[in-house]
Amino acid sequence: MSTALWAKIQASVGVTADGIPGNITAQAVAKRLGIDKETPRPTPSVPATIDPRSAANIATLLPYAQSKAREWLLKCLEAGINVKIITGTRSYKEQDALYAQGRTAPGRKVTNARAGYSWHNFGVAWDFVVFDANGQPQWESPLMEKCGKIAESLGHEWGGRWTSPQDTPHVTVKMGCTLADARQRVKEGKWWT
Ligand SMILES: [Zn+2]
């Protein structure tokens, strides 16, 4: 490119027209073209993904509760909480076996609910726990409460509000009926039809 042409370009962008383009000329041209500012790159958003353990437990829930569980879990993950769903539905038989524990079977008592007296038996409840960076469950973490409050914000019942006993890891999707109603509907084969 000729010196004369560079001089013309320099003059038009308001720098010394010596015909020898350097950094100053380059910057002035870039400014004129509107490319002098570094374009901020959008922060790549890492899509929150549901881990296999949670996914397997979610799959045991009623379809309606499945979508609620996914929605809740993604909200917790997006809040930066490493939480997993560790329990989903329990059959009546499984509930009775759990109830026997610490009563007629070895182990410590883990539930006061017999078969049909836990929302886990109706596919609308799950339990969760927060994990630390080393993959250790953190039952006492304040993030447990945060997850519970997220559940409440979505209209669900959080076991952290219960008193006898308090059940911080527990969430129930409200179904607008009592456990007695649910038991009756199961008996009639009409639960969630
Ligand atoms: Zn539970």
Side-chain angles (χ1 to χ4, degrees), residues 87-88 90 118 120 125-128 162 167 169-172:
T87 307
R90 283 193 288 270
S118 161
H120 284 287
W126 62 84
D127 299 325
F128 64 89
W162 300 348
D167 194 3
H170 180 96
V171 175
T172 299

Side-chain angles (χ1 to χ4, degrees), residues 7 9 12-13 35 44 47 54 65 67 74 86 100 111 115 123-124 132 134 145 153 159:
I9 292 167
S12 78
V13 297
I35 55 169
S54 296
S67 67
L74 288 171
I86 55 165
T111 183
V124 294
D132 68 10
N134 300 317
E145 184 179 350
S153 76

Side-chain angles (χ1 to χ4, degrees), residues 92 94 123 130:
Y92 275 31
E94 288 166 329
V130 167

Side-chain angles (χ1 to χ4, degrees), residues 53-74:
R53 183 178 179 180
S54 296
N57 285 314
I58 291 170
T60 70
L61 304 175
L62 291 184
Y64 172 71
Q66 285 186 20
S67 67
K68 299 293 182 188
R70 272 189 219 102
E71 180 188 36
W72 167 82
L73 186 55
L74 288 171

Side-chain angles (χ1 to χ4, degrees), residues 68-89:
K68 299 293 182 188
R70 272 189 219 102
E71 180 188 36
W72 167 82
L73 186 55
L74 288 171
K75 243 187 150 169
C76 294
L77 295 174
E78 279 156 16
I81 305 170
N82 182 14
V83 60
K84 290 178 184 169
I85 291 179
I86 55 165
T87 307
T89 300

